Each structure stands twice: as structure tokens, then as C-alpha cells.
Amino acid sequence: MERRRLVHSLGLVAITVLCWLYGLHLYRAANWPLVDKGLQQQADTGNHGVTRDAVESPSATNGAALDDSNDKILTFVHASDVHISKFYPEGGLVHFQHFLHTAVPLISPRLVVVTGDLTDGKDKQKLVSLQQVEEWEAYRRALESAKVTTKFNGTFYRDQRGNHDCFNMFGFESPANMYKTYSAVRTDGYSLHIREPFGTYSFVAADACPRHGFARPLNFFGYLDAHGMSLLESRIEESKGANHIFMLNHYPVSTMLYGRYNKSFRELAQSVSVFLCGHLHELVGGIGTQLQAYKARDGYWELEIGDLKEHAVYRVYAVDHDLVSFVDVTLPLDQIPMHNPKLLDVSISEPIAHPPVVLVTNPKDARYLLPKHEPLHLMRSSKFIRALIWADKPVSAVSVRIDGVEHPHPAVFKGKKESPRDPAAGVSAIGDDVVKTPLWVAPWDPSIYDDGRPHTIEVTATDSEGKTTTSRIPFHFTADL
């Protein structure tokens, strides 16, 4: 017994020392000076030699008003932590296929982003971590089956690596890096500028996988060394002038160490509106769903999302006249068998019934205001309540209640389904390139609620099959709106 305790104690000491040494390694690697001239030239181009013009964008708020028009709306979907596994029979690939064939067509956004842990990368006993080529092949088959990599001239679906996707490899150029072969993006991070008639919206992704992709649990933390920071800096700089910059990373800020090139991460973050990430799933008791923080000093929201692997969660964003709103949605798990005996051989292409998705965009949820980046004054002068309602069957009823009282004016449909966009905006209308903006509006007088107190709005949608969803959010009008 004493010997066992001694071995246990020595093991804990060894793990502590290893973690400390790894932390020191992260610190030194992240701050290692970048002196290679070729690397400097690569950073100046932003995307591995692909030079992009700096963003120049008209503001969506110039002469804008939150009326009953369905223009000036951009939608995108965020998911993370898929964990496709050749051994684990639950969730993973099945949830991902239902996401691609049910959720994505239902929302029909302009963009889908997945922030890492595309594959599981473990052995059958879950003790050894390594890249499994069969998992990557299954991931690629799922993308090709859903045809998401070809929509909008290849700009519809963006993915990036998580820590599971870089287990046991030495650097991005390692032959073991299967992300370079099987993913949609295949590069060390990316930047994407979506140009619309009403503005430009930039998405900047950083690959924070450790340069030497250690096995579990040592790569639980991510970092950007001077090289990674140079890429991030150039991509942020080229996005200046965008209506909003959305930064994407697998790791939350709390599990990251940022080095420095010309600017620190905090300096770069001044331009960012929302930091999207995953990695922590929903943790114990679902507290991962609350891993959201407003960085008041820097003016951005950090919004971590739960996992697609087990909890089947995805997030729908709408940028309505530059007001950023979102709602978390769960795939209808009662229709998805938890056990998948076919593992990587499963193939799902037909959509399943999905409850309506309701996202209120005006008034905006008071918990997620962005005073530095949003035209919040538009809410006070608005003439209509605005909500996006996606449904796989015709919507039969929409009700609005404010502070528990039924709104006196009915909601009416003002939405559209369109094949965008003007070729001058950078995207042509081809094939199934469809964006849905299912806008519902109801007249209102916001001055009634301009009393400095918090209020609650509820929007309930019911489809023709009786499926019902209610969105309930707080809102208020403070003196600084």
C-alpha cells in the first residue's frame, strides 16, 4: 500500500513538472523572435502568398432604419467539436451528417464555420492519441455528400484545426497533418471577406495548434508564436474598414497564450467584434453553455459554443443592420439514434423534421450588446420588431409578447429566399447558392419601453405540423443607446 502511494505521489509530481515545463515552452515559443525575411514577406500577403486588397466597405447604417425591409441582413452558422471517431459509436459523424443535411439547408446561411476538432484522433482504448486516416476520409466524404465545399465559389464552408486534429505531429507541414489533404480550407488559418451591397464582413481564423502537436493532455492549451501572430496581424490589418470582424479560434482566450509580432493580441482585438471558439464542449452539468464573456477593455464578445459531438449544438448568427444577434439550436436528438453500429460507414443524406428556429434581431438581446461596434441607437428609433424564423414546414402562427402581455399588432412575413449576389459583390448566383432571410415584423413604439428598466420579449412560432419554438430575450434602452 505504501509503495502504491509513493508511486502515485511521484506520478503527480512528474505530471506537475511536465506541465510547468510545457508552460515554459509555450511562453518561450510564443515570444520567439521572428527574423526570417521570407516569413515576413509571407505575413505581408496574409494568406500564404495570396495578396488581398484592404477592405473598403460602405456602412450598413448609412441612412439605415430598422423598418420592415428584409435587406441588410447577413446570416452565418457556427459549429465546433465534431470528433468523428472510428471507435466511438455515439454522436460524432451521425450528428455532423444531420447538421449538414438538416440544419444547414434549413437555415441556408451565407456561411458555415466549424472551429476545430473535426476528428477524434484516439485509439480504441482512448489512451493513445494519433491521427486516424479513416476518420479524415469520413469527414471528407460527409463534406462532398452535402456539396458544401463548392457553394458560393468555394466560400460557403470554412473549417480549421482543433487540438485533436494536430495530435502527434511536428508542425503544420508534417506529413501526418491530414487537415492539409481532407479539410475544406487546408491552410494555416484563413481570412474571408464577405462583400455585400450594404457592407463587408470579415472572418479571420487563427490556427493555434502547438507547433509540436503533443499527445493528450499536453496540447489542451493553444498558442500563437511570432509566426502565427504575424499571420493574424496581417489578416486583421487587411480587414480594417469592415463593418464587423469575426475572429475564429478553436481555443478560448483562457486556454491560449499569445506571442507578439508588431502588436499584441490585445491591440489586435480592438478591431474584433466577436471571438468565436469551441474546445471546452459543455463541460460538467452544461456549464460550458455559459462560457461567454464581454471583454469590456477591448470591446468584443468571446462566445464559446458547445459541441456537436454529443450535444448536437450549433449556433445561428444574424447581422441585421450591423446589430449582431445569435441563438443556440440543438438538433432534434429524439429522432437521432444515439448508438451508431456502422461507425464510419454510416451515410445520412435525408433531412429530419426540425422545430422552427427563432432569432429576434430587434430589439437586440440586452446581454450581448457591443457598444464599440454596433449602431445601438437604431433600436431606439426603430419602427418594427424584427425576427428571423426558419421552418421546414409553412409557419402557421407567430405571436409576440412583451413583459408577458400580448403585443397588439400581428407579425407579418417580409422575408425572401434569394440566389445572391451581384457579381460585383464577389459571388455569382450558381446552382444551389441560396440564402434565406425569413423575416417577420410587427409594428411597435419603442418609446413605451424607454424607461431605463429591463423588459422581456417573447416570439413564438408554430409550423403547420404543430412544431413550436419560443425565443425569450431581455432588452432595454439605456441612456447611451
Side-chain angles (χ1 to χ4, degrees), residues 205-224:
D207 187 325
C209 285
R211 184 183 301 139
H212 303 298
F214 297 102
R216 295 185 303 149
L218 293 178
N219 76 349
F220 181 81
F221 298 93
Y223 75 91
L224 287 178

PDB file of all heavy atoms in Angstrom, residues 205-224:
ATOM      1  N   ALA A 205      -9.528  33.539 -39.097  1.00  0.00           N
ATOM      2  CA  ALA A 205      -9.310  32.333 -38.300  1.00  0.00           C
ATOM      3  C   ALA A 205      -7.823  32.138 -38.048  1.00  0.00           C
ATOM      4  O   ALA A 205      -7.004  32.299 -38.958  1.00  0.00           O
ATOM      5  CB  ALA A 205      -9.883  31.111 -39.008  1.00  0.00           C
ATOM      6  N   ALA A 206      -7.486  31.781 -36.819  1.00  0.00           N
ATOM      7  CA  ALA A 206      -6.102  31.512 -36.438  1.00  0.00           C
ATOM      8  C   ALA A 206      -5.950  30.038 -36.073  1.00  0.00           C
ATOM      9  O   ALA A 206      -6.816  29.465 -35.412  1.00  0.00           O
ATOM     10  CB  ALA A 206      -5.691  32.387 -35.254  1.00  0.00           C
ATOM     11  N   ASP A 207      -4.857  29.438 -36.520  1.00  0.00           N
ATOM     12  CA  ASP A 207      -4.538  28.052 -36.160  1.00  0.00           C
ATOM     13  C   ASP A 207      -3.611  28.087 -34.957  1.00  0.00           C
ATOM     14  O   ASP A 207      -2.432  28.396 -35.078  1.00  0.00           O
ATOM     15  CB  ASP A 207      -3.864  27.348 -37.335  1.00  0.00           C
ATOM     16  CG  ASP A 207      -3.665  25.861 -37.088  1.00  0.00           C
ATOM     17  OD1 ASP A 207      -3.404  25.484 -35.925  1.00  0.00           O
ATOM     18  OD2 ASP A 207      -3.760  25.078 -38.042  1.00  0.00           O
ATOM     19  N   ALA A 208      -4.164  27.802 -33.788  1.00  0.00           N
ATOM     20  CA  ALA A 208      -3.397  27.908 -32.546  1.00  0.00           C
ATOM     21  C   ALA A 208      -2.888  26.562 -32.061  1.00  0.00           C
ATOM     22  O   ALA A 208      -2.481  26.440 -30.896  1.00  0.00           O
ATOM     23  CB  ALA A 208      -4.237  28.568 -31.457  1.00  0.00           C
ATOM     24  N   CYS A 209      -2.904  25.543 -32.925  1.00  0.00           N
ATOM     25  CA  CYS A 209      -2.332  24.261 -32.523  1.00  0.00           C
ATOM     26  C   CYS A 209      -0.856  24.441 -32.183  1.00  0.00           C
ATOM     27  O   CYS A 209      -0.137  25.149 -32.898  1.00  0.00           O
ATOM     28  CB  CYS A 209      -2.462  23.240 -33.654  1.00  0.00           C
ATOM     29  SG  CYS A 209      -4.126  22.586 -33.860  1.00  0.00           S
ATOM     30  N   PRO A 210      -0.376  23.814 -31.114  1.00  0.00           N
ATOM     31  CA  PRO A 210       1.053  23.900 -30.801  1.00  0.00           C
ATOM     32  C   PRO A 210       1.900  23.442 -31.980  1.00  0.00           C
ATOM     33  O   PRO A 210       1.512  22.534 -32.729  1.00  0.00           O
ATOM     34  CB  PRO A 210       1.211  22.951 -29.605  1.00  0.00           C
ATOM     35  CG  PRO A 210      -0.146  22.895 -28.990  1.00  0.00           C
ATOM     36  CD  PRO A 210      -1.116  23.021 -30.122  1.00  0.00           C
ATOM     37  N   ARG A 211       3.028  24.093 -32.165  1.00  0.00           N
ATOM     38  CA  ARG A 211       3.904  23.750 -33.287  1.00  0.00           C
ATOM     39  C   ARG A 211       4.260  22.274 -33.260  1.00  0.00           C
ATOM     40  O   ARG A 211       4.323  21.609 -34.283  1.00  0.00           O
ATOM     41  CB  ARG A 211       5.174  24.607 -33.235  1.00  0.00           C
ATOM     42  CG  ARG A 211       6.102  24.363 -34.433  1.00  0.00           C
ATOM     43  CD  ARG A 211       7.378  25.179 -34.297  1.00  0.00           C
ATOM     44  NE  ARG A 211       7.095  26.598 -34.221  1.00  0.00           N
ATOM     45  CZ  ARG A 211       7.719  27.433 -33.397  1.00  0.00           C
ATOM     46  NH1 ARG A 211       8.631  26.964 -32.561  1.00  0.00           N
ATOM     47  NH2 ARG A 211       7.434  28.700 -33.389  1.00  0.00           N
ATOM     48  N   HIS A 212       4.513  21.755 -32.075  1.00  0.00           N
ATOM     49  CA  HIS A 212       4.745  20.321 -31.909  1.00  0.00           C
ATOM     50  C   HIS A 212       3.490  19.747 -31.259  1.00  0.00           C
ATOM     51  O   HIS A 212       3.253  19.954 -30.086  1.00  0.00           O
ATOM     52  CB  HIS A 212       5.972  20.059 -31.044  1.00  0.00           C
ATOM     53  CG  HIS A 212       7.214  20.692 -31.585  1.00  0.00           C
ATOM     54  ND1 HIS A 212       7.751  20.362 -32.805  1.00  0.00           N
ATOM     55  CD2 HIS A 212       8.006  21.668 -31.086  1.00  0.00           C
ATOM     56  CE1 HIS A 212       8.831  21.083 -33.025  1.00  0.00           C
ATOM     57  NE2 HIS A 212       8.997  21.894 -32.006  1.00  0.00           N
ATOM     58  N   GLY A 213       2.679  19.047 -32.052  1.00  0.00           N
ATOM     59  CA  GLY A 213       1.381  18.594 -31.580  1.00  0.00           C
ATOM     60  C   GLY A 213       1.490  17.426 -30.625  1.00  0.00           C
ATOM     61  O   GLY A 213       1.378  16.268 -31.012  1.00  0.00           O
ATOM     62  N   PHE A 214       1.696  17.723 -29.353  1.00  0.00           N
ATOM     63  CA  PHE A 214       1.859  16.674 -28.348  1.00  0.00           C
ATOM     64  C   PHE A 214       0.587  15.854 -28.202  1.00  0.00           C
ATOM     65  O   PHE A 214      -0.488  16.235 -28.659  1.00  0.00           O
ATOM     66  CB  PHE A 214       2.214  17.297 -26.995  1.00  0.00           C
ATOM     67  CG  PHE A 214       3.527  18.020 -26.994  1.00  0.00           C
ATOM     68  CD1 PHE A 214       3.565  19.397 -27.058  1.00  0.00           C
ATOM     69  CD2 PHE A 214       4.716  17.321 -26.956  1.00  0.00           C
ATOM     70  CE1 PHE A 214       4.765  20.078 -27.051  1.00  0.00           C
ATOM     71  CE2 PHE A 214       5.927  17.977 -26.946  1.00  0.00           C
ATOM     72  CZ  PHE A 214       5.952  19.373 -27.002  1.00  0.00           C
ATOM     73  N   ALA A 215       0.727  14.725 -27.536  1.00  0.00           N
ATOM     74  CA  ALA A 215      -0.426  13.888 -27.249  1.00  0.00           C
ATOM     75  C   ALA A 215      -1.223  14.490 -26.088  1.00  0.00           C
ATOM     76  O   ALA A 215      -0.829  15.469 -25.471  1.00  0.00           O
ATOM     77  CB  ALA A 215       0.042  12.468 -26.897  1.00  0.00           C
ATOM     78  N   ARG A 216      -2.385  13.901 -25.834  1.00  0.00           N
ATOM     79  CA  ARG A 216      -3.186  14.362 -24.707  1.00  0.00           C
ATOM     80  C   ARG A 216      -2.408  14.144 -23.412  1.00  0.00           C
ATOM     81  O   ARG A 216      -1.661  13.157 -23.290  1.00  0.00           O
ATOM     82  CB  ARG A 216      -4.498  13.579 -24.639  1.00  0.00           C
ATOM     83  CG  ARG A 216      -5.428  13.789 -25.817  1.00  0.00           C
ATOM     84  CD  ARG A 216      -6.738  13.079 -25.578  1.00  0.00           C
ATOM     85  NE  ARG A 216      -6.535  11.652 -25.337  1.00  0.00           N
ATOM     86  CZ  ARG A 216      -7.316  10.907 -24.569  1.00  0.00           C
ATOM     87  NH1 ARG A 216      -8.334  11.443 -23.965  1.00  0.00           N
ATOM     88  NH2 ARG A 216      -7.071   9.632 -24.394  1.00  0.00           N
ATOM     89  N   PRO A 217      -2.633  14.949 -22.371  1.00  0.00           N
ATOM     90  CA  PRO A 217      -3.458  16.154 -22.353  1.00  0.00           C
ATOM     91  C   PRO A 217      -2.636  17.423 -22.603  1.00  0.00           C
ATOM     92  O   PRO A 217      -3.115  18.515 -22.368  1.00  0.00           O
ATOM     93  CB  PRO A 217      -4.003  16.149 -20.932  1.00  0.00           C
ATOM     94  CG  PRO A 217      -2.847  15.611 -20.129  1.00  0.00           C
ATOM     95  CD  PRO A 217      -2.158  14.592 -21.010  1.00  0.00           C
ATOM     96  N   LEU A 218      -1.390  17.258 -23.065  1.00  0.00           N
ATOM     97  CA  LEU A 218      -0.474  18.390 -23.084  1.00  0.00           C
ATOM     98  C   LEU A 218      -0.833  19.435 -24.135  1.00  0.00           C
ATOM     99  O   LEU A 218      -0.361  20.554 -24.050  1.00  0.00           O
ATOM    100  CB  LEU A 218       0.963  17.889 -23.293  1.00  0.00           C
ATOM    101  CG  LEU A 218       1.538  17.059 -22.138  1.00  0.00           C
ATOM    102  CD1 LEU A 218       2.938  16.590 -22.470  1.00  0.00           C
ATOM    103  CD2 LEU A 218       1.533  17.857 -20.844  1.00  0.00           C
ATOM    104  N   ASN A 219      -1.633  19.082 -25.135  1.00  0.00           N
ATOM    105  CA  ASN A 219      -1.995  20.135 -26.089  1.00  0.00           C
ATOM    106  C   ASN A 219      -3.409  20.656 -25.835  1.00  0.00           C
ATOM    107  O   ASN A 219      -4.075  21.154 -26.730  1.00  0.00           O
ATOM    108  CB  ASN A 219      -1.817  19.666 -27.529  1.00  0.00           C
ATOM    109  CG  ASN A 219      -2.913  18.725 -27.993  1.00  0.00           C
ATOM    110  OD1 ASN A 219      -3.711  18.256 -27.203  1.00  0.00           O
ATOM    111  ND2 ASN A 219      -2.946  18.457 -29.285  1.00  0.00           N
ATOM    112  N   PHE A 220      -3.841  20.571 -24.593  1.00  0.00           N
ATOM    113  CA  PHE A 220      -5.122  21.167 -24.206  1.00  0.00           C
ATOM    114  C   PHE A 220      -5.067  22.683 -24.362  1.00  0.00           C
ATOM    115  O   PHE A 220      -6.077  23.336 -24.580  1.00  0.00           O
ATOM    116  CB  PHE A 220      -5.450  20.798 -22.756  1.00  0.00           C
ATOM    117  CG  PHE A 220      -6.769  21.345 -22.279  1.00  0.00           C
ATOM    118  CD1 PHE A 220      -7.957  20.705 -22.592  1.00  0.00           C
ATOM    119  CD2 PHE A 220      -6.818  22.495 -21.510  1.00  0.00           C
ATOM    120  CE1 PHE A 220      -9.172  21.213 -22.152  1.00  0.00           C
ATOM    121  CE2 PHE A 220      -8.030  23.008 -21.068  1.00  0.00           C
ATOM    122  CZ  PHE A 220      -9.211  22.361 -21.384  1.00  0.00           C
ATOM    123  N   PHE A 221      -3.856  23.247 -24.239  1.00  0.00           N
ATOM    124  CA  PHE A 221      -3.667  24.686 -24.381  1.00  0.00           C
ATOM    125  C   PHE A 221      -3.071  24.994 -25.760  1.00  0.00           C
ATOM    126  O   PHE A 221      -2.265  24.240 -26.284  1.00  0.00           O
ATOM    127  CB  PHE A 221      -2.740  25.221 -23.289  1.00  0.00           C
ATOM    128  CG  PHE A 221      -3.296  25.025 -21.903  1.00  0.00           C
ATOM    129  CD1 PHE A 221      -2.979  23.896 -21.157  1.00  0.00           C
ATOM    130  CD2 PHE A 221      -4.160  25.948 -21.349  1.00  0.00           C
ATOM    131  CE1 PHE A 221      -3.489  23.699 -19.898  1.00  0.00           C
ATOM    132  CE2 PHE A 221      -4.686  25.769 -20.084  1.00  0.00           C
ATOM    133  CZ  PHE A 221      -4.355  24.643 -19.351  1.00  0.00           C
ATOM    134  N   GLY A 222      -3.506  26.106 -26.327  1.00  0.00           N
ATOM    135  CA  GLY A 222      -3.001  26.517 -27.626  1.00  0.00           C
ATOM    136  C   GLY A 222      -2.138  27.756 -27.507  1.00  0.00           C
ATOM    137  O   GLY A 222      -2.145  28.445 -26.482  1.00  0.00           O
ATOM    138  N   TYR A 223      -1.387  28.044 -28.554  1.00  0.00           N
ATOM    139  CA  TYR A 223      -0.606  29.283 -28.551  1.00  0.00           C
ATOM    140  C   TYR A 223      -0.320  29.717 -29.978  1.00  0.00           C
ATOM    141  O   TYR A 223      -0.361  28.921 -30.920  1.00  0.00           O
ATOM    142  CB  TYR A 223       0.693  29.109 -27.768  1.00  0.00           C
ATOM    143  CG  TYR A 223       1.784  28.305 -28.456  1.00  0.00           C
ATOM    144  CD1 TYR A 223       2.736  28.933 -29.260  1.00  0.00           C
ATOM    145  CD2 TYR A 223       1.878  26.931 -28.288  1.00  0.00           C
ATOM    146  CE1 TYR A 223       3.739  28.200 -29.881  1.00  0.00           C
ATOM    147  CE2 TYR A 223       2.873  26.190 -28.900  1.00  0.00           C
ATOM    148  CZ  TYR A 223       3.805  26.835 -29.699  1.00  0.00           C
ATOM    149  OH  TYR A 223       4.794  26.117 -30.319  1.00  0.00           O
ATOM    150  N   LEU A 224      -0.064  30.991 -30.108  1.00  0.00           N
ATOM    151  CA  LEU A 224       0.398  31.566 -31.366  1.00  0.00           C
ATOM    152  C   LEU A 224       1.777  32.155 -31.121  1.00  0.00           C
ATOM    153  O   LEU A 224       1.930  33.071 -30.310  1.00  0.00           O
ATOM    154  CB  LEU A 224      -0.554  32.657 -31.857  1.00  0.00           C
ATOM    155  CG  LEU A 224      -1.906  32.189 -32.416  1.00  0.00           C
ATOM    156  CD1 LEU A 224      -2.752  33.393 -32.811  1.00  0.00           C
ATOM    157  CD2 LEU A 224      -1.727  31.262 -33.611  1.00  0.00           C
TER     158      LEU A 224
END
